Amino acid sequence: MQISGAQMVIEALIAEGVDTVFGYPGGAIMNVYDAIYKQDKFRHILTRHEQAAVHAAEGYAKVSAKVGVAMITSGPGFTNAVTGLADAYMDSIPLVVISGQVPMSLIGTDAFQEIDAVGISRSCTKHNYLVTDAADLPRILKEAFYIARSGRPGPVHVDIPKDVTAQIAEYNYDIKLDLETYKPHTKGNPRQIKKAIQAIANSKRPVFYLGGGIINSNAADEVRELVHKTGIPAVETFMARGTLVHDDALLIGMLGMHGSYAANMAMSETDMVIALGARFDDRVTGKLSEFAKNATVIHVDIDPASISKLVNANFPIVGDIKNVVNDMLAQSSVIDAQNYEQWRETIINFNELHPLTYYEDSERLKPQWVIERVGELLGDDANISTDVGQHQMWTAQFYPFSRPRQFISSGGLGTMGFGFPAAIGVKAAAPEKTSINFTGDGSILMNCQELMTAVEKKLPVINIILNNNFLGMVRQWQTLFYDKRHSETDLSVQPNFVKLAEAFGGIGYRVTTKEEFDAALQDAIKKDVVAFIEVKVERFENVMPMVPSGGSLFNMMLLEKKESK
Amino acid sequence: MNDNNARRVVSVIVVNEASVLSRITDLFSGRGYNITSLTVAPIPESKYSRLTIVTSGSVRVIEQITKQLHKLIPVLRVYEHEDMVEKEMALIKFPISENLSDINTICEAYNGKIVNVGENVVIAMVSDEPKRIDNFLCAVKRYNPKEIVRSGAVALER
Ligand SMILES: Cc1ncc(C[n+]2csc(CCOP(=O)(O)OP(=O)(O)O)c2C)c(N)n1
Ligand SMILES: [Mg+2]
């Protein structure tokens, strides 16, 4: 069939089963927007900033396990979207981001709103394309979706000049992809798996080190089974939260810079690390030479470049986690859970010695209480997004996650401003669940214009602003490592968050007590409109435990012990 | 040559398409690594090109770069050469007033000869291992070479 490049984009999105596109129009992409206007197969959600469009697509992708789609114009539209691309790249989120470009004849002339978009996105995408002929569009779009979702997922950027979207060419999406140079390795080497299982059986203090790759591979059920069958305790990375149910007896906790004492100690004392879809990030390992120093390392990952990148793997296994874990399960009978009884005891003792906790010893509410409280009230019924800072770490520590894809947060890039638009994408993908965004008084201002999107599209995200009148995480480092010189982190001067929400047609609450908080949350859920719940919390609370940057995991700063909780 | 500054030769087979070269060189520049030499040419009767990259740096980082090269979508294969035949070509311009028979004799020792004679200059060509090209260029310094161009190395694993 002979159609325009713009129509091809629409047809391809429909063929890929896309039901929601996030975006923002402009000159170079207008042909495509005209084609969007004429169709009714998918909805378009107009965000109020291109960065937000990409974050919303990320939230959507994370929750739905589908490829998220964002659409933007050339020049400033594209550069605004770059942070989103980088964020998705760091966290392996499958996206297809389509941008308009100036017409081919103007490329390279410093034309109005021209920027070398593929030059910029090259280093923050899994792959990118500049389309120079509409006849290539079906193949390129099909490849883009395939590359985004397969192997180690990631964002793919497709830049289309305006004359290419106007060009008429033959459209046929029913083509076989021929990517001779891209064949992700999904099946683990059986001999290596067998050797690894034997090594586990011979170990005394093994630990599962669970990473975000498990979530991407939709392998949480298999991993749960493997953990329970082997009786081997597990730590989760920030990105893996929800892999095990929060109260699973074998879940030691989150590890890393703000990991629990028990998780970090278990990692320091183990003789066998079984890394599943984890990448030994510096925020996780602390000082590398001391990380799991005496351990044999089994490293399972779909991305060969992740294996032995930082820590040498004795048993590297390249493959999709789900496949490899299934293969491991089939052989796991040689592992005797009884053998680790004493090791499990040791870990329980670690947890009793320094449990993950906080004290309610201030006039103002403690931020951790708020998070725990939402957990008590909503638990499994909410999807939880966050922004970046202390509130993010407390959410990872204290929210009782019970399923994969429940926790949506910017891990690798740590992008302030991620939370609210991501939560909008989450709500669009999973309207039946409450979409909560735990945010900070700093972060929320980085994409607060999205109140308009949420109001217009009736996506009632509840933003819980843990207001400490500080760029809290930076303030914490200044307190601890810069002799309390709180340089440019005091946010005493603030907007009226209640009025801000109201100005857009949302609803705002300011609460200072537990009773007020409960009432506000219940009211917000009932009103079913986008909300800001501003909670005045203790200003100087620190996230503990803390492994100072570059320190060893076992050298944690710990919460000072007090009498009552 | 310590561990942190090892010379490495890497060959990469890539789909011959726009932007593939920048994808590859970005991996080096993003880490502050210099490419000593780089040659590219299409592989006959295929859609692929072969690149030969000579670089130096920490073994660990180069291994990492090699893995990242594999990860690039248009990359088919990456060879980190261990045991290879490696050759490079150089063209050198000499004033015609120099001792041409000496120059020609030296060139012959490096698989070359004078290949072009002009009104004021001659152009000589040699091809040999990069190290030997270094030696050659040293040896002909006294004939006042006016211009030198090196092709960069190409390599094949034995
Ligand atoms: C875009 C961006 N700019 C700067 C930072 C550095 N940064 C990390 S946490 C943080 C403070 C965040 O403050 P707030 O949102 O109030 O959260 P809190 O730590 O107080 O809970 C800053 C500035 C960042 N992560 N992202
Ligand atoms: Mg704050």
Side-chain angles (χ1 to χ4, degrees):
Chain A
M1 129 176 104
Q2 294 276 321
I3 54 174
S4 72
Q7 283 168 293
M8 289 187 190
V9 172
I10 307 303
E11 291 298 325
L13 294 180
I14 294 167
E16 290 291 344
V18 172
D19 58 22
T20 308
V21 172
F22 302 89
Y24 207 103
I29 193 80
M30 281 183 71
N31 292 335
V32 181
Y33 271 86
D34 192 48
I36 287 178
Y37 186 87
K38 295 176 191 155
Q39 62 82 42
D40 59 0
K41 294 290 194 302
F42 59 82
R43 69 175 156 168
H44 179 276
I45 294 181
L46 175 73
T47 56
R48 279 0 184 224
H49 192 295
E50 290 87 352
Q51 181 192 357
V54 184
H55 290 329
E58 290 182 81
Y60 182 91
K62 220 48 245 235
V63 163
S64 66
K66 296 200 289 200
V67 177
V69 179
M71 197 165 305
I72 57 206
T73 192
S74 68
F78 170 75
T79 53
N80 272 348
V82 171
T83 303
L85 285 173
D87 192 88
Y89 186 58
M90 292 291 278
D91 284 347
S92 308
I93 298 176
L95 295 186
V96 170
V97 175
I98 297 170
S99 59
Q101 180 56 278
V102 301
M104 296 270 287
S105 56
L106 290 181
I107 290 182
T109 66
D110 295 334
F112 178 64
Q113 297 196 326
E114 180 190 0
I115 195 84
D116 173 11
V118 285
I120 291 174
S121 70
R122 195 174 295 133
S123 55
C124 56
T125 50
K126 184 172 174 185
H127 197 47
N128 63 11
Y129 297 87
L130 171 65
V131 186
T132 56
D133 185 342
D136 295 336
L137 253 179
R139 173 186 57 84
I140 287 177
L141 289 169
K142 196 159 188 171
E143 283 183 11
F145 274 90
Y146 172 66
I147 290 170
R149 76 167 86 86
S150 59
R152 179 178 178 171
V156 179
H157 168 217
V158 183
D159 197 34
I160 319 179
K162 192 170 185 179
D163 49 344
V164 174
T165 50
Q167 186 194 341
I168 307 283
E170 176 64 21
Y171 175 84
N172 175 15
Y173 207 69
D174 205 12
I175 39 174
K176 247 188 108 72
L177 292 183
D178 171 32
L179 285 164
E180 229 177 297
T181 57
Y182 175 71
K183 296 203 160 57
H185 209 76
T186 56
K187 195 93 183 91
N189 178 324
R191 280 183 39 221
Q192 190 75 319
I193 293 172
K194 193 162 182 191
K195 278 197 278 180
I197 288 284
Q198 199 52 53
I200 297 172
N202 295 337
S203 70
K204 299 200 166 61
R205 299 182 305 282
V207 170
F208 278 111
Y209 162 29
L210 309 179
I214 296 168
I215 313 247
N216 283 336
S217 166
N218 296 312
D221 286 344
E222 291 78 2
V223 169
R224 287 178 185 185
E225 195 182 337
L226 185 64
V227 167
H228 292 140
K229 234 172 142 177
T230 57
I232 296 173
V235 297
E236 284 178 354
T237 66
F238 177 84
M239 297 305 289
R241 288 314 243 167
T243 301
L244 298 183
V245 179
H246 64 95
D247 57 3
D248 191 315
L250 286 168
L251 174 60
I252 312 172
M254 180 172 80
L255 87 165
M257 179 172 275
H258 294 299
S260 72
Y261 174 80
N264 287 344
M265 289 308 288
M267 229 24 189
S268 302
E269 308 232 322
T270 177
D271 65 349
M272 166 63 69
V273 171
I274 313 154
L276 302 179
R279 60 187 179 92
F280 298 82
D281 176 80
D282 56 285
R283 285 289 189 266
V284 160
T285 62
K287 189 173 176 185
L288 214 48
S289 57
E290 299 281 342
F291 180 75
K293 202 174 174 181
N294 302 314
T296 301
V297 174
I298 297 170
H299 192 173
V300 185
D301 205 291
I302 189 131
D303 176 12
S306 281
I307 297 182
S308 297
K309 176 172 67 175
L310 295 158
V311 168
N312 189 51
N314 306 85
F315 299 91
I317 300 171
V318 179
D320 184 59
I321 305 287
K322 200 181 188 112
N323 288 339
V324 175
V325 170
N326 270 326
D327 290 349
M328 288 176 131
L329 272 170
Q331 301 180 28
S332 59
S333 53
V334 299
I335 298 170
D336 182 359
Q338 298 290 321
N339 289 346
Y340 314 126
E341 190 54 50
Q342 212 184 337
W343 173 228
R344 287 190 294 263
E345 289 276 312
T346 309
I347 289 168
I348 290 170
N349 289 338
F350 284 148
N351 250 330
E352 280 171 358
L353 189 61
H354 294 289
L356 184 67
T357 186
Y358 62 96
Y359 298 104
E360 296 199 74
D361 53 0
S362 59
E363 289 276 300
R364 287 169 92 168
L365 286 175
K366 281 295 176 84
Q368 301 95 323
W369 177 85
V370 179
I371 292 160
E372 274 188 344
R373 184 65 183 152
V374 176
E376 277 167 27
L377 294 175
L378 299 179
D380 188 34
D381 291 335
N383 285 318
I384 304 296
S385 310
T386 77
D387 260 302
V388 173
Q390 292 183 309
H391 62 274
Q392 176 190 32
M393 291 303 134
W394 285 317
T395 306
Q397 289 178 328
F398 289 98
Y399 196 89
F401 295 104
S402 53
R403 55 188 163 81
R405 302 187 182 277
Q406 186 181 12
F407 180 46
I408 297 92
S409 190
S410 168
L413 199 65
T415 311
M416 287 172 70
F418 171 87
F420 186 13
I424 287 176
V426 166
K427 188 69 185 174
E432 72 289 354
K433 302 258 184 212
T434 305
S435 177
I436 300 278
N437 174 37
F438 285 109
T439 177
D441 45 316
S443 297
I444 191 63
L445 289 186
M446 284 204 183
N447 265 324
C448 60
Q449 78 285 345
E450 294 312 310
L451 278 161
M452 205 68 265
T453 311
V455 166
E456 186 194 28
K457 297 294 179 189
K458 299 202 169 43
L459 296 165
V461 169
I462 299 175
N463 293 278
I464 300 175
I465 306 172
L466 297 171
N467 189 353
N468 50 15
N469 292 83
F470 269 124
L471 294 173
M473 187 55 97
V474 183
R475 194 278 309 151
Q476 173 169 344
W477 284 50
Q478 289 169 336
T479 302
L480 297 174
F481 311 118
Y482 289 85
D483 212 12
K484 300 192 181 153
R485 289 184 300 279
H486 295 152
S487 175
E488 303 296 321
T489 44
D490 190 316
L491 300 183
S492 289
V493 178
Q494 288 194 327
N496 180 324
F497 287 112
V498 175
K499 283 190 183 162
L500 180 62
E502 286 169 359
F504 285 85
I507 187 163
Y509 310 83
R510 178 179 300 117
V511 306
T512 55
T513 66
K514 292 181 174 176
E515 294 70 31
E516 284 171 6
F517 177 75
D518 280 7
L521 182 62
Q522 266 143 22
D523 194 59
I525 292 171
K526 202 169 73 217
K527 292 255 164 62
D528 215 23
V529 52
V530 61
F532 276 7
I533 302 179
E534 178 199 0
V535 190
K536 292 282 188 186
V537 295
E538 165 58 30
R539 293 195 73 197
F540 288 94
E541 187 74 2
N542 288 336
V543 183
M544 289 294 159
M546 176 172 194
V547 181
S549 191
S552 309
L553 273 195
F554 51 82
N555 276 332
M556 281 162 275
M557 298 170 136
L558 293 163
L559 189 69
E560 254 177 76
K561 288 208 172 179
K562 295 188 182 141
E563 282 304 297
S564 70
K565 180 174 168 178
Chain B
M1 217 196 305
N2 65 23
D3 186 55
N4 275 328
N5 213 2
R7 179 177 186 274
R8 305 294 279 177
V9 182
V10 181
S11 291
V12 192
I13 315 277
V14 297
V15 177
N16 185 0
E17 65 181 20
S19 84
V20 65
L21 196 56
S22 17
R23 289 185 204 283
I24 288 168
T25 53
D26 274 4
L27 290 181
F28 290 83
S29 58
R31 290 171 174 78
Y33 268 51
N34 191 22
I35 293 177
T36 314
S37 80
L38 179 146
T39 64
V40 201
I43 297 175
E45 283 160 48
S46 83
K47 57 176 184 183
Y48 297 106
S49 286
R50 183 174 177 122
L51 280 81
T52 314
I53 301 170
V54 179
T55 184
S56 59
S58 117
V59 172
R60 213 189 160 78
V61 173
I62 303 225
E63 261 176 29
Q64 184 56 27
I65 292 178
T66 319
K67 282 191 187 170
Q68 304 274 9
L69 282 171
H70 270 292
K71 236 172 109 167
L72 293 175
I73 309 290
V75 168
L76 182 69
R77 294 185 81 149
V78 182
Y79 304 94
E80 246 190 292
H81 292 295
E82 303 279 338
D83 182 22
M84 62 192 154
V85 173
E86 191 189 357
K87 295 287 172 196
E88 180 171 7
M89 194 185 91
L91 296 175
I92 316 95
K93 207 182 260 178
F94 295 102
I96 202 151
S97 52
E98 294 295 331
N99 185 335
L100 297 186
S101 72
D102 275 14
I103 290 174
N104 202 53
T105 312
I106 299 174
C107 286
E108 276 170 5
Y110 294 87
N111 309 312
K113 60 182 178 196
I114 291 174
V115 291
N116 185 271
V117 181
E119 208 172 311
N120 300 313
V121 293
V122 299
I123 295 176
M125 182 276 290
V126 290
S127 80
D128 214 321
E129 272 124 53
K131 247 239 91 95
R132 287 195 28 98
I133 301 275
D134 292 345
N135 297 343
F136 167 81
L137 292 174
C138 250
V140 298
K141 253 203 187 117
R142 66 168 112 153
Y143 302 105
N144 301 309
K146 293 168 77 104
E147 226 180 316
I148 300 169
V149 51
R150 299 178 66 149
S151 66
V154 291
L156 269 184
E157 195 72 11
R158 269 188 236 269

